[in-house]
Each structure stands twice: as C-alpha cells, then as structure tokens.
Amino acid sequence: MLESEGPGGAEVVVLHLADELRSRGHHVVPVIFTRATDPGWLEQACATRGFTPERVGIRGTVDINCLRAIVALLRRRQVTAVHSHEFGMAIYGTAACRLLRLPHVITMHGNMWMTNAFRRRAALRWAFRNSAATAVSEDTRRHLIRALGIPDSRIRTVLNGVPELVGNRQALRHELGMADDVVLVTAVGNLIERKGHAFLIRALALVAARVPNADWHLAIAGEGVERPHLEALARDSGIADRVHLLGHRRDIADVLAASSVFVMPSLWEGLPLAVLEAMFAGTAVIASGISGIPEAITDGVTGLLVKPGEVEPLADALQSLIVDGVRRKRIGEAARTRAREQFSVGTMTAQYEALYRSER
C-alpha cells in the first residue's frame, strides 16, 4: 500500500518488490491511495506488469470512509499480510490490520518531514508499536529513533534493492550525436530543488573553465518545476550546448549504460535507487555524503562523496573522474561488486518475506 503515484523511489521499490514476490509464488495486490480521478504512473505500471491494483480514495487528514474501504478490500481480496509504505499508509494500514488481525509491515523511505509535527510523531509511535517497522537506511532508522524517542529494537533496517539491468550503451549516445570516447556525466531524478541539479551545472561550468579541452556532456533524466531555472543556468554558464535535459525516460538502463560518471548531488535523500542502479551498471558515482548514501558508497573506493550544496568540492570530484579514465573504471567496477553483494532485489525481498511470516 502506498499513498503516492510517482514516479519516485518508493514507487519503484514497490514495483520491484511486487515483481519479486510474485516470482516467489505469492499473490500480490497493489493498493494505491489517491485523490486523483485518472490512473497515475504507479497504477499504470502495476497494470502493465499484470497486477490488478486497487484504488482507494482519500480525503482530508483523517478519513473514516477510507479506513472502511481498506478493510473491505483486504477482506474481498483475501489478503493475509499487508505492507504499507510511508506515513499515511503506515497509519491507515496499522488501523486496518488491527481490526482484521493481519500481520503488518511498515517501510519508511526517508522523508524527514514526516516527524516535524507532534501529531505525526504520536501517530507513528502508535503505528510502530503495533506493526513491524522498517527503514530503508540506517540513517533513516537513526532519525526515526531520535525523533520519536522509541527503543532501538522498535525499527530495523532493510536496505533497498534494485534489479541488475543490462542497457544499450550506444542508444543515448546515438540520440545525442555523441562519440563513444566522450565523457558522459548523467543524473537521474525529478527536477526539483532538493535534487541539487543546479549545483551540478555550476560545478561543471567550473570544470569547463579549468579544463577547457576536456570533452564531456551532461544528461539529466527527469522532469519538474526546476527545468526553466536549469536551462537558464546552463545558458548563463556558457555550457548550454553540453547540457541535455532529457525529461522523463523509460530507458534508464540505457542512460546508465551510456554513462561515464553518475552524479547524485541531492540536499537530502533516503537510500536513492538511482545510485544503486548506477552501481549495478558499473558507473563511477559521485554523490552527496548524506543520509543513506554513505551506506552504499565508500568514499574513494566505490564512489566519491562530497558535501551537499557546495560547488567547489563537486567540481573537484567531477574533474578528477572526467580526466582520469582508469580511475573511473576502477571505481565503477568496485561499485558493481558492492551492489551485487548487498543491494539486489532478491536480498531485499527475502528480508521482507521473513517479516511477513514472523508477524503472523
């Protein structure tokens, strides 16, 4: 169950988890809570994969009719365990599962605003006392323990996992008219301020001034309100001809396969799937050393970590990898090895599967 249509990290985790659970013989019912009238990204993605998603309308902060609808659909679909993602569904899911005496697992994906208000903290404490609570990173887990004042044992960490996809290295490069030896820097994420794309463009403008002969381009996959600002920033920085805003893409595997360097310059995150996907692709990663990212990236070994919101350190890291192909390759290979060991969908799903059984 998830109160969001995406596309975003939590929504993609739900899809990967549903696919893997089905492959293990379980019957999966995606439940999407929405205020919209038309099917959104997640509902369409579930249907495309052959699932039969349920839609529940929700109005206001507390909606008794919504709770009744949840209880009714869980009975109708003969559900035997419930997995709720993020704050809203953690509360409604807990209430429904208490009424039906069903096992309930909660996953929090790292939205730190969820504990800003007293009423939210109180509601989460209640939900965590009556469910198996998980976080997608140790950083998110520690934040919840501090913010809610709960015992360490009340919440555990289940690291996100992603499938290892094989992309076409030449597809995006051909689309952009780019030779194979050009260094392609990529980023994936919604074009919103907290993703830090403006810092990335400013940092690359510094690299262009420092190393004018370096042959590189930047491609950002994603869409959002920051697009006009990013386009203007690229023009004002004199690098507009090297910056490509790709919009929403369905071929992220191809984007990552084409990449020389992947950058996640966010101001805050949970454990971002895009970083894990880039690691599986064997791409050298530069990322902000925040939240759950250092749990995946060891600085100087499986990637480079920089301070969020600072242009100079990001420019230094970019320059070091743009000009040193041997180092790029070494870091990318180490990242892929780490991803295969710790961040597979199978590893993630096995841990959740054990929780469903243990809560019965």
Side-chain angles (χ1 to χ4, degrees):
M1 301 203 300
L2 180 63
E3 185 191 356
S4 175
E5 281 281 29
E11 295 82 12
V12 173
V13 166
V14 167
L15 286 174
H16 292 333
L17 184 57
D19 283 336
E20 181 68 15
L21 285 168
R22 180 171 57 185
S23 75
R24 292 169 181 238
H26 302 291
H27 183 71
V28 181
V29 181
V31 181
I32 300 160
F33 295 77
T34 180
R35 293 170 173 82
T37 55
D38 297 325
W41 181 87
L42 180 58
E43 188 172 348
Q44 293 180 57
C46 287
T48 299
R49 283 166 164 77
F51 296 104
T52 305
E54 294 276 356
R55 175 191 287 203
V56 177
I58 183 169
R59 299 178 180 178
T61 304
V62 178
D63 187 342
I64 297 301
N65 288 329
C66 175
L67 178 59
R68 292 193 182 109
I70 296 169
V71 171
L73 80 85
L74 294 178
R75 283 175 172 157
R76 174 168 47 84
R77 297 294 293 268
Q78 300 180 3
V79 170
T80 55
V82 177
H83 190 165
S84 296
H85 297 258
E86 299 290 50
F87 173 81
M89 295 310 95
I91 308 308
Y92 281 101
T94 300
C97 288
R98 279 175 61 83
L99 290 171
L100 295 174
R101 299 182 181 276
L102 292 176
H104 186 230
V105 175
I106 296 169
T107 295
M108 306 303 290
H109 289 261
N111 295 326
M112 299 311 183
W113 57 266
M114 62 196 165
T115 57
N116 286 350
F118 173 79
R119 61 184 176 80
R120 284 179 172 272
R121 295 194 296 273
L124 276 179
R125 288 190 199 99
W126 170 78
F128 285 7
R129 283 197 301 269
N130 292 282
S131 308
T134 70
V136 300
S137 71
E138 273 297 309
D139 182 79
T140 299
R141 176 178 175 272
R142 288 192 295 267
H143 168 81
L144 289 166
I145 289 170
R146 289 193 304 268
L148 303 180
I150 58 177
D152 287 5
S153 59
R154 184 58 65 185
I155 181 168
R156 69 196 78 187
T157 298
V158 177
L159 297 172
N160 282 337
V162 297
E164 184 171 357
L165 304 176
V166 179
N168 182 343
R169 176 175 170 78
Q170 297 305 322
L172 179 61
R173 288 177 174 265
H174 179 74
E175 177 184 330
L176 299 178
M178 189 177 302
D180 193 63
D181 59 349
V182 173
V183 175
L184 179 59
V185 179
T186 63
V188 175
N190 295 326
L191 305 186
I192 54 178
E193 187 175 1
R194 77 170 178 86
K195 290 295 186 179
H197 296 124
F199 300 108
L200 174 55
I201 291 174
R202 291 191 182 101
L204 282 168
L206 274 182
V207 174
R210 293 174 181 174
V211 194
N213 295 326
D215 196 0
W216 58 264
H217 279 249
L218 168 66
I220 302 177
E223 195 54 85
V225 296
E226 280 281 286
R227 173 183 275 271
H229 174 222
L230 298 176
E231 290 173 336
L233 182 59
R235 286 195 305 270
D236 295 344
S237 301
I239 58 172
D241 60 330
R242 300 190 189 197
V243 176
H244 312 273
L245 302 184
L246 304 176
H248 286 309
R249 304 287 296 213
R250 296 182 179 273
D251 59 343
I252 296 301
D254 290 347
V255 172
L256 295 175
S259 303
S260 311
V261 179
F262 177 85
V263 187
M264 175 67 73
S266 300
L267 300 179
W268 63 265
E269 290 285 349
L271 180 56
L273 301 189
V275 166
L276 305 183
E277 290 168 344
M279 292 172 69
F280 268 113
T283 304
V285 175
I286 300 172
S288 299
I290 53 166
S291 305
I293 293 176
E295 296 170 41
I297 298 295
T298 300
D299 190 30
V301 180
T302 57
L304 301 181
L305 297 177
V306 297
K307 292 183 178 180
E310 295 190 13
V311 173
E312 290 266 0
L314 181 54
D316 293 341
L318 283 161
Q319 182 176 335
S320 72
L321 292 185
I322 286 173
V323 302
D324 190 343
V326 173
R327 191 182 190 205
R328 284 200 310 270
K329 183 178 181 180
R330 182 176 67 249
I331 287 176
E333 290 176 348
R336 178 153 43 202
T337 299
R338 176 78 176 275
R340 287 171 173 169
E341 291 173 350
Q342 289 190 277
F343 299 110
S344 72
V345 172
T347 297
M348 174 186 72
T349 304
Q351 293 179 69
Y352 282 131
E353 197 176 31
L355 277 176
Y356 304 152
R357 291 188 174 117
S358 68
E359 290 300 300
R360 288 182 179 178

